[in-house]
Amino acid sequence: MGKYKTFSVLIFTLFITFSAGNAASASNWALIGDTLIHDPSIIKEGNTWYRFGTGLVGEK
């Protein structure tokens, strides 16, 4: 059982290491419109992105 757990941890670590490079590309996206939002959530349908969140829109 110890070898299986060690192998699983190794696979998980490799997965996280190599998938982390893809997340960095999101920081290069150009944002347009009102980007002020608290507790954001996004949904993509086709080529359209929808954002949802809490708080008052435009309030600083």
Side-chain angles (χ1 to χ4, degrees), residues 2-46:
K3 289 182 181 181
Y4 178 74
K5 186 175 182 178
T6 302
F7 180 73
S8 297
V9 170
L10 175 63
I11 295 299
F12 178 74
T13 303
L14 290 172
F15 174 76
I16 295 298
T17 301
F18 289 110
S19 65
N22 295 333
S25 64
S27 64
N28 296 326
W29 292 352
L31 300 177
I32 58 174
D34 181 17
T35 59
L36 180 65
I37 192 168
H38 183 70
D39 296 331
S41 296
I42 60 172
I43 298 173
K44 182 179 180 186
E45 180 180 21

